[in-house]
């Protein structure tokens, strides 16, 4: 069974190398500064004790007032995994550094997050839409997708089930 590394354990390893990178930690995750993302990601991959050479997934989370980008990482040789998070500073123009040059598997996952959530990944080698066409208005997994500026509503006229006749 794969062991989940404790957030404080991972945070301490990151702090020893990057003293100002860790913002928060909990039992199952570590939140780092967006500016520190690329060097911390390379450290997590290259450190022989952590050995997180496998990027399982990248997801974007919309908390209405801010976004988070969540990275699930694993070491296949050490049989453990960890969760790394970062928070883009600007809700209107969310951006974090790309990790596509650290883990090749990040390339398509960052494009998907950009396409559906609108989170930009600076330094990505080919950041363009992957599921929707260029020119598509908005990012459909954002919670404010139905309320685009100018009253433009590219999605459904209302949320399903809200105001519907019974």
């Amino acid at each position: 069974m794969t062991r989940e590394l404790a957030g404080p354990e991972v945070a301490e390893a990151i702090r020893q190398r990057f003293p100002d990178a860790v913002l928060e930690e909990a039992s199952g995750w570590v939140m780092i500064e967006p500016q520190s993302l690329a060097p911390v990601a390379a450290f997590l991959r290259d450190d022989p004790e952590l050995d997180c050479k496998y990027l399982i997934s990248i997801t974007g989370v919309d908390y209405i007032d801010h976004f988070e980008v969540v990275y699930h990482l694993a070491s296949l040789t050490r049989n453990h995994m960890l969760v790394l998070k970062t928070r883009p500073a600007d809700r209107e123009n969310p951006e974090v550094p790309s990790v596509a040059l650290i883990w090749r598997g990040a390339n398509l996952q960052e494009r998907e997050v950009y396409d559906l959530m609108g989170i930009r990944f600076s330094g990505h080698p080919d950041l363009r839409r992957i599921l929707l066409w260029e020119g598509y208005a908005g990012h459909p997994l954002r919670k404010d997708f139905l309320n685009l500026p100018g009253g433009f509503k590219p999605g459904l006229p209302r949320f399903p089930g809200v105001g519907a006749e019974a």
Side-chain angles (χ1 to χ4, degrees), residues 2-164:
T2 302
R3 182 173 69 101
E4 187 175 321
L5 292 181
E9 177 185 347
V10 176
E12 185 55 34
I14 294 171
R15 277 193 194 99
Q16 288 180 5
R17 185 80 181 265
F18 306 97
D20 299 325
V22 176
L23 293 176
E24 295 178 53
E25 62 195 68
S27 61
W29 52 265
V30 176
M31 171 86 65
I32 62 167
E33 283 277 340
Q35 301 89 342
S36 302
L37 179 61
V40 168
F43 167 70
L44 295 173
R45 180 196 62 192
D46 298 337
D47 182 77
E49 296 299 317
L50 296 168
D51 189 47
C52 292
K53 292 186 174 35
Y54 181 53
L55 171 67
I56 299 170
S57 67
I58 301 174
T59 54
V61 182
D62 186 349
Y63 286 98
I64 299 177
D65 62 338
H66 69 276
F67 288 105
E68 282 183 3
V69 181
V70 181
Y71 303 83
H72 289 90
L73 309 172
S75 170
L76 301 178
T77 57
R78 296 196 170 272
N79 197 23
H80 62 224
M81 60 180 291
L82 65 94
V83 176
L84 185 69
K85 298 180 176 185
T86 193
R87 185 177 297 158
D90 185 0
R91 161 78 185 168
E92 295 306 314
N93 297 301
E95 183 172 309
V96 298
S98 173
V99 293
L101 297 178
I102 297 166
W103 294 289
R104 294 180 71 185
N107 188 319
L108 295 178
Q109 294 182 57
E110 287 180 346
R111 286 181 60 190
E112 182 180 2
V113 171
Y114 163 68
D115 192 3
L116 300 177
M117 301 289 286
I119 299 170
R120 300 189 64 79
F121 292 88
S122 61
H124 189 281
D126 185 22
L127 191 63
R128 57 188 162 95
R129 295 198 113 137
I130 190 168
L131 299 171
L132 300 168
W133 57 95
E134 292 298 330
Y136 185 86
H139 304 280
L141 290 187
R142 283 186 173 200
K143 291 186 176 174
D144 61 357
F145 174 64
L146 298 179
N147 300 315
L148 292 174
F152 183 63
K153 298 185 183 295
L156 300 173
R158 58 180 169 71
F159 284 98
V162 175

